[in-house]
Amino acid sequence: MFPTNGGEALIIISAIALGLVILITPTQVLWVNMATAVTLAVALAFEPMERKTKPSNKPLVPLSMLARIGYVSCLHMAASLGMFIWYRNLGAAEEFARAITITRILRSKKSAP
């Protein structure tokens, strides 16, 4: 969930920086987070605990994983922002372009490992 949530934050920050309308509304962000959190929680509830816990002297998220999270967040932001701008340039209504952006975000969460 870290890369997608990072991508959502970058989408909002980049829209503000570029002077665009907000691509995803706060309600849409809450909906995406709620829908994915519930599905992940159900999957984790039925997963058997086979791994041992990490030692307390090791970082929770290694630096290589942080770099990957940042990279995927940037890709997520670029794809969503690109789709929004592309549909707006085709003449689509702002609400339709937002719906496409949200659909793209939900599909990326569904296909993420």
Side-chain angles (χ1 to χ4, degrees):
M1 285 184 61
F2 285 138
T4 310
N5 290 339
E8 288 173 354
L10 288 174
I11 289 169
I12 294 169
I13 292 169
S14 62
I16 292 169
L18 295 173
L20 299 172
V21 298
I22 301 297
L23 276 65
I24 49 178
T25 64
T27 307
Q28 289 171 326
V29 171
L30 290 172
W31 167 250
V32 169
N33 289 339
M34 185 187 73
T36 56
V38 168
T39 56
L40 286 174
V42 169
L44 287 174
F46 294 104
E47 181 178 322
M49 293 296 290
E50 296 176 2
R51 287 195 260 170
K52 294 182 180 178
T53 59
K54 282 188 166 194
S56 61
N57 61 348
K58 289 197 172 190
L60 187 60
V61 181
L63 187 60
S64 61
M65 185 62 73
L66 283 176
R68 183 176 177 187
I69 289 169
Y71 176 69
V72 174
S73 293
C74 289
L75 287 176
H76 177 69
M77 180 270 306
S80 297
L81 185 65
M83 287 185 83
F84 182 84
I85 293 171
W86 184 36
Y87 274 93
R88 289 292 288 152
N89 286 341
L90 289 176
E94 185 177 303
E95 293 79 18
F96 181 79
R98 281 183 175 157
I100 292 294
T101 303
I102 287 299
T103 303
R104 192 224 153 295
I105 291 170
L106 286 171
R107 290 196 50 109
S108 70
K109 283 194 175 192
K110 181 181 174 186
S111 63

